[in-house]
């Protein structure tokens, strides 16, 4: 089944404790992206990647890092999480020739205390 | 720059009534437009998309949307609401070369028996 998977689905952590949210897709998509969803703000892009070893900032990149060492994986790294990063995070992927057809993962709900 | 405005953060209809969710966009280039649905505790699912073909777009679950360039609108409609339509709906416009989607803030649809 074609899908985007994220782990963990739920995470509660404390300020300053490094964490990684994994994202994996099995559709051989070149493009991958991370969004955060906050009430009343919709979804906002954090980082994106056009292909392996190619990443770039989205609209709200502060406090996040990403890497793209393999085509299928695009982890989101919070090196020193803060409470304002409490949010619902979505990973998405799409083919390079159809950037607008994005497939979304199930989401990761992160709480930073 | 592209942007999306969804009118009404909450819409309530009775079962069997018309559903109308409003979306206006701003885009400096011919837009690709999307409607996504998010059921409680789930990820985003694509309802329908406009990619410059037919202006009336039919999607899943009986929803459709009409692209009106003169009004810069892409409103989502369904003739008869069902209880299972209760969810949050997001309108989005393509962000350009960055590949991101610019989302509206969402409209939560409630369906009363």
């Amino acid at each position: 089944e074609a899908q985007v998977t994220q782990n963990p689905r739920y995470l509660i952590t404390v300020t300053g404790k490094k964490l990684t949210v994994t994202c994996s897709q099995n559709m051989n998509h070149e493009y991958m992206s991370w969004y955060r969803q906050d009430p009343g703000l919709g979804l906002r892009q954090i980082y994106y990647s056009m292909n392996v070893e190619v990443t770039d900032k989205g609209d709200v990149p502060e406090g996040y890092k990403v890497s793209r060492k393999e085509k299928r994986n695009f982890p989101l790294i919070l090196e020193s999480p803060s409470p304002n990063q409490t949010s619902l995070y979505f990973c998405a992927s799409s083919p390079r020739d159809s950037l607008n057809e994005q497939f979304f993962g199930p989401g990761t709900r992160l709480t930073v205390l | 720059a592209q942007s999306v405005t969804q009118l009404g953060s909450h819409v309530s209809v009775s079962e069997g009534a018309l559903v109308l969710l409003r979306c206006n966009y701003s885009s400096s280039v011919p837009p690709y437009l999307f409607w996504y649905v998010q059921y409680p505790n789930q990820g985003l699912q694509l309802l329908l998309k406009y990619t410059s073909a037919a202006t009336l777009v039919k999607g899943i679950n009986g929803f459709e949307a009409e692209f009106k360039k003169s009004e810069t609108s892409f409103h989502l409609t369904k003739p008869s609401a069902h209880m299972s339509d209760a969810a949050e709906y997001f309108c989005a416009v393509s962000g350009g070369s960055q590949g991101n989607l610019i989302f509206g803030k969402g409209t939560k649809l409630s369906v009363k028996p």
Side-chain angles (χ1 to χ4, degrees):
Chain A
E1 179 189 354
Q3 59 183 347
V4 178
T5 56
Q6 295 179 226
N7 281 292
R9 294 289 313 279
Y10 302 90
L11 179 60
I12 300 174
T13 188
V14 295
T15 298
K17 186 176 180 182
K18 181 179 179 179
L19 65 92
T20 299
V21 183
T22 65
C23 172
S24 184
Q25 50 92 6
N26 62 1
M27 295 169 279
N28 202 36
H29 287 166
E30 291 83 5
Y31 179 90
M32 297 185 75
S33 177
W34 276 103
Y35 295 84
R36 61 177 287 174
Q37 181 184 12
D38 301 291
L41 295 178
L43 283 83
R44 294 174 293 168
Q45 190 184 48
I46 302 170
Y47 267 95
Y48 65 99
S49 170
M50 289 289 192
N51 214 326
V52 176
E53 302 291 1
V54 181
T55 63
D56 213 338
K57 296 177 180 178
D59 298 317
V60 288
E62 293 77 22
Y64 304 94
K65 285 176 58 177
V66 292
S67 70
R68 189 88 182 275
K69 294 184 171 59
E70 305 166 281
K71 197 174 189 180
R72 64 183 292 125
N73 296 323
F74 190 46
L76 179 70
I77 304 154
L78 285 73
E79 298 225 322
S80 183
S82 61
N84 65 12
Q85 293 179 297
T86 292
S87 188
L88 179 58
Y89 291 87
F90 288 101
C91 181
S93 74
S94 70
R96 181 174 52 200
D97 58 356
S98 185
L99 291 182
N100 297 294
E101 286 219 40
Q102 296 194 20
F103 295 82
F104 283 82
T108 295
R109 187 167 291 282
L110 172 65
T111 301
V112 183
L113 302 174
Chain B
Q2 286 80 357
S3 66
V4 169
T5 302
Q6 289 183 242
L7 298 174
S9 57
H10 288 88
V11 170
S12 182
V13 300
S14 298
E15 193 172 20
L18 171 72
V19 175
L20 170 61
L21 304 182
R22 299 177 187 272
C23 172
N24 288 89
Y25 70 91
S26 171
S27 178
S28 55
V29 297
Y32 287 2
L33 293 158
F34 306 82
W35 276 99
Y36 283 86
V37 60
Q38 185 179 31
Y39 297 104
N41 300 314
Q42 293 189 29
L44 279 80
Q45 181 181 2
L46 181 66
L47 267 181
L48 50 81
K49 62 181 179 182
Y50 167 76
T51 55
S52 76
T55 57
L56 182 62
V57 182
K58 294 189 184 300
I60 61 172
N61 301 338
F63 284 93
E64 62 182 37
E66 186 172 7
F67 172 71
K68 291 187 177 180
K69 185 178 179 180
S70 60
E71 298 177 8
T72 60
S73 69
F74 191 57
H75 301 331
L76 182 70
T77 60
K78 182 174 180 177
S80 177
H82 192 273
M83 297 295 290
S84 61
D85 294 327
E88 189 159 19
Y89 293 80
F90 292 93
C91 183
V93 64
S94 53
S97 61
Q98 191 168 313
N100 60 321
L101 294 171
I102 309 296
F103 285 86
K105 295 182 179 180
T107 298
K108 192 162 287 190
L109 175 67
S110 301
V111 182
K112 298 175 290 187

